[in-house]
Structures are given as structure tokens and as C-alpha cells.
């Protein structure tokens, strides 16, 4: 094959590989803030790289001009540098996932997340309002023993125990909160395997339960210690519960509407994505448990400080999920 024909036949793929290197390569660190919008995806690169190595061997064997050989040599060397370079330290990859990849995953499933939010928030608000109008409904939703327990926990006139709990050191309760929070999150996610219905049931049940407790305590005048206790960890805990539900709904959709994939393949893809979402959810629940154990139950902090911190945390969580990872390139 003549050199002109060889170049004409492979020119397009060389240009595509050069574009990928521009977005991902060592020589273009400044371009890392741009997303890879080229025709060649990251998954195509290993096969394209092997073809370029083969084309370089052919060009040398056929005695093509130094211009062609040098160009292929440069593409091969740059591609090797990107594909086989030392990966970033684990802490950098973890930070990148939490700050960029996780928020992008959440936004990529905005529809499921919105449905999960409605399934959780609507029954919560509904029960809260109903109990202000008809206080006796609380005994249709909770046993007298449960109602009495919550009243003891948040009785503003009882100074014997820390705010929101009766006993236990901070570190002991930290462990309890971690176990409780993550078990609920995993249960919500796993409920998606029942065609998404399980995730919805868990979300609705939690919304009704929380709305019932909040509505009753507010109605009997115990709202102040309750709100001071929950306001600190609520931004992370409640948001994480909704995100776990959204991930579960994604699993359910893969079963119901697999699209072009086989149902088992669609479930595997959704499961892999859901597992990454659950990693971020677990981080949020860990933060929530820490705040709940060491901040929420502290009585000495004024209510205005707690509410102010809560407002800041809600804002940070919203900004993180809405804008985290925008303009940042995918992991090489």
C-alpha cells in the first residue's frame, strides 16, 4: 500500500486519538477541566492504541517517510504514558469520587431521585399537618409505649439525660447511629430489587414514621428539644435516605424497563451504578452519625447556633449535589 493511501485510510482514527490525548493526556493537564466530548470514548482507547502500534510497525517495515513514522511514534508514546501511568493515590481517588463523581451520579438519576424525594417528603409533611389538626391519630400509627418513649426522650422539663437520648457515651452512640443509619440505607436500596416497590415502601414508611413523631411532639409542645436535636444531622441523614431510595428505584427500573439490554445485563449495570451511589450514601450517613453523636445531643449549644449551622449544612449539601463535578473531567 502506498503511503498516501495508508495515511488517508487511518487519518480519522489518528485525529480521534489525538483529540482523546488532548482531553486526557499528560501533555494537556490544563484541559482536564473539560469533559471528554470527542467521538472516541475511554472504552475505545485500548483497542485504538493497539491498532496504532500495529500501524507504526507497518510504517517502519514499509519504509514510509519520517513524518508518518514520527507521528505514529509520538501517538504510541503519549498513549502509553496515559494508559500505563501510576494511578493517583487512594485518598485522591476517594476525594475525587466524593467531590465530583458522586454528585454527577446523583444528577444522572435525577428522575429517580425526584420520585424518591416525593415518596419520602409528602407522607412526612402530610402526617405532621394531620397531627396538628387531629392529635388523637398518633395512637393509630404508634403504640402507647412508643409514644411515651418519645415523650420521655424530648421532655423539655426533664434535665436528667442528654438531649434526644437517655444514656450512653458519645462514642457508644456513634456506633449505634452508624449501624442504624446504614442498615436503613441498605434496606432502602435493596428494596429496589422488588421492581422498585420495596424502595418506595421503605421511603413512605419512614416518611410516615418521622412525620408522626415530629407532628405529635410539636403538637404537645415538645418541639423545641426535638428540632434542636435533629437539625444538625438532618441535612446528611435525610438526604442520604432519599438518595438510597433513588438508587433502589434505578434497580427497579432496570427490571421493569431494561431497554436495549437483556434484563440481567440491565440489572448488572444498574447494580454497579447503585453500588457507587451507596458508597456516597454511606459516607453521608457516617457524617450524619458523627454529628448526631457529638453535636446534636449537646445541650449547652444555643438553639440559634444549631439552627444556623443546620442552614449552612443544608446549603452545602445542596450545592455539593447540584454543582459538584461540573466541568471536571472523568477519571482517566
Amino acid at each position: 500500500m502506498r503511503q498516501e493511501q495508508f495515511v488517508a485510510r487511518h487519518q480519522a482514527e489518528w485525529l480521534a486519538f489525538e483529540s482523546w490525548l488532548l482531553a486526557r493526556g499528560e501533555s494537556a493537564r490544563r484541559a482536564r477541566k473539560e469533559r471528554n466530548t470527542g467521538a472516541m470514548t475511554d472504552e475505545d482507547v485500548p483497542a485504538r492504541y493497539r491498532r496504532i502500534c500495529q500501524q507504526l510497525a507497518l510504517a517502519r517495515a514499509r519504509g514510509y517517510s519520517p513524518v508518518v513514522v514520527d507521528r505514529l511514534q509520538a501517538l504510541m508514546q503519549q498513549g502509553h504514558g496515559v494508559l500505563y501511568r501510576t494511578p493517583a493515590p487512594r485518598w485522591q481517588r476517594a476525594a475525587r469520587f466524593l467531590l465530583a463523581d458522586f454528585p454527577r451520579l446523583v444528577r444522572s438519576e435525577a428522575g429517580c431521585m425526584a420520585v424518591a424525594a416525593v415518596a419520602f417528603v409528602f407522607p412526612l409533611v402530610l402526617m405532621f399537618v394531620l397531627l396538628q389538626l387531629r392529635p388523637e391519630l398518633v395512637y393509630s400509627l404508634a403504640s402507647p409505649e412508643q409514644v411515651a418513649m418519645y415523650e420521655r426522650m424530648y421532655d423539655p422539663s426533664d434535665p436528667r439525660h442528654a438531649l434526644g437520648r437517655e444514656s450512653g457515651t458519645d462514642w457508644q452512640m456513634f456506633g449505634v447511629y452508624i449501624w442504624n443509619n446504614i442498615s436503613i440505607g441498605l434496606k432502602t436500596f435493596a428494596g429496589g430489587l422488588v421492581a422498585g416497590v420495596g424502595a418506595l415502601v421503605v421511603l413512605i414508611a419512614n416518611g410516615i414514621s418521622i412525620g408522626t413523631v415530629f407532628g405529635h411532639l410539636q403538637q404537645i409542645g415538645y418541639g423545641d428539644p426535638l428540632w434542636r436535636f435533629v437539625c444538625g444531622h438532618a441535612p446528611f441523614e435525610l438526604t442520604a435516605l432519599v438518595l438510597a431510595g433513588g438508587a433502589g428505584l434505578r434497580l427497579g427500573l432496570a427490571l421493569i424497563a431494561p431497554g436495549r439490554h437483556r434484563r440481567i445485563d440491565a440489572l448488572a449495570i444498574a447494580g454497579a451504578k447503585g453500588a457507587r451511589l451507596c458508597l456516597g450514601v454511606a459516607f453521608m450517613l457516617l457524617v450524619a452519625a458523627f454529628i448526631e453523636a457529638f453535636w446534636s445531643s449537646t445541650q449547652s449549644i444555643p438553639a440559634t447556633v444549631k439552627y444556623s449551622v443546620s442552614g449552612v449544612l443544608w446549603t452545602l449539601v445542596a450545592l455539593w449535589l447540584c454543582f459538584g463535578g461540573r466541568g471536571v473531567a472523568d477519571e482517566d
Side-chain angles (χ1 to χ4, degrees), residues 231-250:
C231 68
H233 57 272
F236 288 95
E237 184 174 332
L238 299 187
T239 304
L241 179 61
V242 169
L243 298 186
L249 290 177
R250 176 69 263 174

Side-chain angles (χ1 to χ4, degrees), residues 277-291:
L277 282 167
C278 282
L279 284 176
V281 167
F283 166 77
M284 295 180 71
L285 292 175
L286 182 66
V287 173
F290 184 85
I291 295 172

Side-chain angles (χ1 to χ4, degrees), residues 149-156 161-170 172-174 176-178 180-181 210 213-214 217-218 222-238 287-311 313-314:
M149 178 187 70
Y150 286 119
E151 290 178 357
R152 288 197 308 271
M153 289 176 64
Y154 297 99
D155 184 352
H161 53 73
L163 181 63
R165 65 170 184 254
E166 295 184 354
S167 62
T169 67
D170 288 344
Q172 286 175 334
M173 297 311 297
F174 181 44
V176 171
Y177 294 144
I178 289 175
N180 181 68
N181 292 351
I210 295 173
V213 173
F214 282 34
L217 294 177
Q218 179 68 31
Y222 287 11
D224 176 64
L226 170 69
W227 295 115
R228 284 190 290 121
F229 176 69
V230 302
C231 68
H233 57 272
F236 288 95
E237 184 174 332
L238 299 187
V287 173
F290 184 85
I291 295 172
E292 189 172 2
F294 296 98
W295 169 269
S296 298
S297 59
T298 304
Q299 293 183 355
S300 59
I301 301 173
T304 53
V305 174
K306 286 200 168 186
Y307 295 145
S308 298
V309 170
S310 178
L313 292 178
W314 275 112

Side-chain angles (χ1 to χ4, degrees), residues 249-277:
L249 290 177
R250 176 69 263 174
L251 279 181
L253 282 179
L255 286 171
I256 298 171
R260 299 179 181 178
H261 300 284
R262 293 185 305 163
R263 187 165 274 103
I264 187 65
D265 294 334
L267 183 61
I269 294 170
K273 193 171 191 179
R276 299 189 73 206
L277 282 167

